[in-house]
């Protein structure tokens, strides 16, 4: 088989894909894709690295005057065209294209088409040495620029910004709740998928007006009503649920961040209220002050090392266990009410007992064995046991947690007998006692003896409605 005949199939493939790609780019507004074809565009992130590597190797060989294997150039060009077409299919799934996605799509198409031109000239031996070098440099430059735009589409416009350029590191002493706190959380965890250039669900979260406008499913929050706030519902779904936000694989919100969003919505979701305009008894105040505290990573520096594989082995559809911050050994664990509760799920946390700093077992029918284990979590700082069957004897066991700063035990059967143990928790700063058997006199005594302790015995009605509506405690 002669050389021209040997790669004739590739010639037809390059020509056909090039014509199809040009057609797609020029007539995009008039194209409607079948569901299966549109779905195939989701393979774009999987295949895009293959042509990049092949074309870069081919360019490197060409620029250093070394022979370029025909199979290498053929595979690189064909895969580049397939990647550009799949990117077009994926882009059709975005209702409104921002500037970044527009340029990423056209630059990607240009990369594939110029590579196809290089291939055609090489196959027909029509390239002068200088012209060949120009095409190779053009392909190299387009790969770099297209990748840059792709990174910004995926991770946000500031993805490649130097750390020194960040201007929002320090929270003002008297922050505007939305601008300085809520927007910071959304920028870190949500905006990469919900910005003018990547409007997943037709939702933009880069400004207050855009938040109020909502997305394709309507409002994402209702001020003063957590039950009707779609954003909060999705944050509380199990990580594996396809409606959970942020999606699996993306950086998740921490417990404190979720609590801040909940309380911001419950208190009216204002974009103008400052911290000093809130009553000191508002749970949101304590949450924001915790966020404003110095970086806690230093106090966690001595925690034992935990491998990611160990965390993955312990996690399940109902148990979420993750690092409090990237690279940190401090862990947060949340157990969602499963259809059938097995104490072994909680008891398995013994292997990382020293690393647990946040633990949420709300609505879980825990027993004595679980309390005995929790009392050994020496570094525990936040503990949520609301709507559990704990009693006064259990609270006494928890008094050994000398780093505990927040304790939620509302809607439980504890009484005034727990007060002596609560007074002993010197690090405790926030205590939630709503719907317990603790008397008003007992709470008054606790506040008098511990003026530094924020005692919440009347949780916001909207917040309470949310918890009651989602109260699905399973039976033993």
């Amino acid at each position: 088989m002669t050389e021209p005949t040997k790669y004739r199939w590739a010639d037809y493939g390059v020509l056909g894909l090039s014509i199809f790609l040009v057609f797609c780019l020029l007539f995009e507004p008039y194209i409607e894709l079948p569901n299966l074809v549109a779905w195939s565009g989701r393979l774009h992130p999987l295949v895009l690295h293959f042509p990049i590597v092949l074309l870069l190797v081919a360019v490197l060989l060409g620029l250093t005057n070394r022979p370029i294997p025909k199979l290498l150039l053929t595979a690189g060009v064909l895969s580049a065209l397939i990647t550009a077409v799949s990117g077009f299919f994926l882009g059709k799934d975005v209702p409104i294209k921002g500037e970044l996605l527009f340029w990423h799509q056209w630059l990607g198409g240009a990369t594939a088409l110029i590579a196809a031109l290089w291939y055609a000239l090489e196959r027909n031996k029509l390239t002068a040495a200088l012209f060949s070098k120009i095409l190779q440099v053009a392909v190299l430059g387009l790969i770099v620029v297209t990748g840059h735009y792709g990174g910004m589409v995926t991770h946000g416009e500031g993805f490649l910004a130097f750390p020194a350029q960040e201007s929002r590191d320090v929270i003002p002493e008297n922050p505007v709740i939305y601008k300085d706190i809520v927007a910071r959380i959304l920028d870190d965890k949500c905006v990469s998928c919900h910005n003018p250039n990547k409007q997943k669900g037709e939702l933009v979260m880069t400004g207050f007006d855009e938040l109020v406008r909502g997305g394709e499913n309507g409002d994402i929050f209702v001020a003063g009503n957590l039950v009707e706030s779609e954003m909060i519902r999705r944050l509380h779904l199990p990580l594996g649920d396809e409606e959970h936000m942020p999606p699996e694989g993306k950086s998740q919100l921490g417990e404190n961040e979720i609590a801040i969003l909940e309380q911001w919505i419950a208190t009216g979701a204002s974009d103008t209220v400052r911290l000093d305009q809130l009553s000191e008894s508002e749970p949101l105040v304590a949450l924001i002050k915790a966020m404003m505290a110095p970086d806690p990573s230093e106090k966690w520096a001595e925690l034992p090392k935990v491998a990611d594989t160990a965390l993955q082995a312990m996690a399940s559809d109902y148990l979420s266990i993750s690092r409090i911050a990237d690279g940190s050994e401090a862990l947060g664990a949340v157990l969602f009410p499963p259809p059938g509760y097995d104490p072994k799920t909680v008891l398995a946390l013994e292997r990382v007992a020293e690393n647990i700093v946040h633990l949420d077992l709300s609505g879980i029918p825990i027993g004595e064995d679980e309390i005995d284990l929790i009392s050994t979590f020496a570094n525990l700082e936040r503990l949520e046991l609301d709507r559990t069957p704990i009693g006064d004897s259990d609270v006494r066991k928890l008094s050994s947690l000398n780093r505990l700063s927040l304790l939620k035990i509302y809607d439980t059967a504890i009484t005034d007998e727990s007060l002596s143990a609560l007074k002993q928790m010197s690090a405790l700063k926030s205590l939630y006692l709503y719907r317990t058997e603790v008397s008003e006199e007992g709470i008054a005594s606790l506040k008098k003896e511990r003026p530094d302790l924020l005692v919440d015995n009347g949780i916001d009605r909207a917040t309470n409605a949310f918890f009651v509506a989602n109260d699905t405690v399973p039976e033993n």
Side-chain angles (χ1 to χ4, degrees):
M1 184 181 294
T2 62
E3 187 68 24
T5 305
K6 181 179 179 182
Y7 285 94
R8 186 60 55 83
W9 62 271
D11 296 344
Y12 291 143
V14 170
L15 178 61
L17 286 170
S18 298
I19 294 173
F20 182 64
L21 177 59
V22 171
F23 176 81
C24 289
L25 292 173
L26 293 179
F27 297 98
E28 178 184 8
Y30 310 100
I31 297 175
E32 291 291 335
L33 298 178
N35 289 338
L36 183 60
V37 176
W39 174 87
S40 69
R42 300 186 182 187
L43 300 176
H44 177 72
L46 301 179
V47 301
L48 65 87
H49 299 97
F50 188 62
I52 291 175
V53 173
L54 296 181
L55 289 177
L56 286 178
V57 172
V59 168
L60 179 61
L61 292 175
L63 292 178
T64 55
N65 297 316
R66 298 178 185 178
I68 303 173
K70 290 183 174 58
L71 181 60
L72 173 67
L73 183 58
T74 301
V77 173
L78 282 173
S79 59
L81 288 165
I82 292 172
T83 298
V85 170
S86 68
F88 170 81
F89 291 164
L90 183 61
K92 287 294 291 181
D93 199 35
V94 179
I96 302 175
K97 281 190 175 69
E99 183 179 352
L100 294 181
L101 183 56
F102 171 83
W103 281 110
H104 176 64
Q105 180 175 291
W106 276 89
L107 288 168
T111 303
L113 292 172
I114 290 179
L117 175 62
W118 176 24
Y119 169 87
L121 297 178
E122 286 281 349
R123 288 281 290 138
N124 291 282
K125 304 187 184 302
L126 299 176
T127 44
L130 178 60
F131 188 52
S132 179
K133 291 289 191 296
I134 291 174
L135 288 176
Q136 292 164 15
V137 171
V139 169
L140 177 61
L142 283 169
I143 288 175
V144 172
V145 177
T146 304
H148 171 64
Y149 274 92
M152 290 193 292
V153 167
T154 304
H155 302 288
E157 291 189 63
F159 180 59
L160 294 179
F162 287 103
Q165 295 174 333
E166 296 290 338
S167 59
R168 299 183 60 191
D169 287 344
V170 179
I171 299 175
E173 184 176 345
N174 183 27
V176 176
I177 307 302
Y178 170 74
K179 181 173 72 73
D180 298 315
I181 304 297
V182 172
R184 176 187 294 254
I185 295 171
L186 299 180
D187 285 349
D188 288 344
K189 304 296 172 62
C190 307
V191 165
S192 65
C193 290
H194 299 288
N195 59 74
N197 295 294
K198 189 179 182 182
Q199 302 181 24
K200 293 190 71 173
E202 300 182 30
L203 174 63
V204 177
M205 304 180 77
T206 51
F208 184 75
D209 291 340
E210 289 80 4
L211 281 179
V212 173
R213 189 178 304 127
E216 64 182 359
N217 295 319
D219 295 336
I220 64 169
F221 71 86
V222 178
N225 191 335
L226 293 183
V227 178
E228 299 297 328
S229 294
E230 180 67 10
M231 177 169 66
I232 301 302
R233 183 186 75 85
R234 293 193 176 219
L235 286 172
H236 282 284
L237 290 173
L239 185 60
D241 193 301
E242 64 179 11
E243 289 192 344
H244 174 87
M245 290 296 163
E248 191 171 7
K250 293 286 188 177
S251 180
Q252 301 296 306
L253 278 74
E255 296 172 18
N256 195 67
E257 293 174 321
I258 294 175
I260 286 174
L261 294 182
E262 288 176 349
Q263 291 297 329
W264 175 67
I265 292 173
T267 55
S270 169
D271 64 331
T272 59
V273 170
R274 289 183 175 273
L275 181 62
D276 65 357
Q277 294 175 279
L278 298 177
S279 167
E280 282 294 325
S281 63
E282 286 283 356
L284 184 56
V285 173
L287 293 167
I288 291 175
K289 287 183 176 180
M291 186 176 180
M292 295 171 64
D295 186 357
S297 57
E298 292 184 7
K299 65 182 176 182
W300 296 333
E302 302 301 321
L303 295 180
K305 299 289 184 182
V306 181
D308 289 336
T309 52
L311 301 184
Q312 294 166 3
M314 285 186 286
S316 68
D317 289 341
Y318 299 97
L319 176 63
S320 172
I321 181 167
S322 58
R323 301 182 189 278
I324 297 298
D326 291 340
S328 171
E329 302 301 331
L331 306 177
V334 180
L335 181 61
F336 303 96
Y341 171 64
D342 186 346
K344 292 180 181 178
T345 306
V346 176
L347 298 179
L349 296 175
E350 183 177 9
R351 60 192 295 191
V352 290
E354 292 185 64
N355 300 80
I356 299 290
V357 298
H358 295 175
L359 180 61
D360 184 355
L361 299 179
S362 303
I364 306 299
I366 57 175
E368 185 177 347
D369 290 342
E370 293 94 304
I371 291 294
D372 288 341
L373 175 63
I374 295 170
S375 67
T376 67
F377 290 1
N379 296 305
L380 193 60
E381 299 175 8
R382 292 173 54 95
L383 178 59
E384 301 185 37
L385 297 177
D386 43 281
R387 297 173 289 122
T388 63
I390 66 167
D392 297 317
S393 61
D394 299 312
V395 175
R396 284 194 291 270
K397 292 178 181 179
L398 298 177
S399 63
S400 62
L401 300 174
N402 55 22
R403 293 193 178 185
L404 195 65
S405 61
L406 181 146
L407 177 60
K408 289 185 178 181
I409 46 176
Y410 62 82
D411 205 359
T412 61
I414 68 167
T415 69
D416 286 358
E417 291 185 22
S418 292
L419 294 176
S420 59
L422 294 172
K423 292 174 182 178
Q424 294 175 24
M425 298 181 181
S426 58
L428 197 62
K429 300 301 180 185
S430 300
L431 176 64
Y432 296 77
L433 290 175
Y434 179 69
R435 289 174 63 181
T436 64
E437 299 301 318
V438 179
S439 66
E440 292 296 330
E441 295 78 10
I443 291 174
S445 171
L446 178 61
K447 289 181 176 180
K448 182 177 181 180
E449 191 164 334
R450 288 286 307 276
D452 61 319
L453 177 60
L454 174 62
V455 180
D456 184 352
N457 62 316
I459 198 166
D460 183 275
R461 289 184 178 180
T463 306
N464 180 53
F466 175 77
F467 289 129
V468 171
N470 289 273
D471 191 357
T472 55
V473 182
E475 297 180 358
N476 278 314

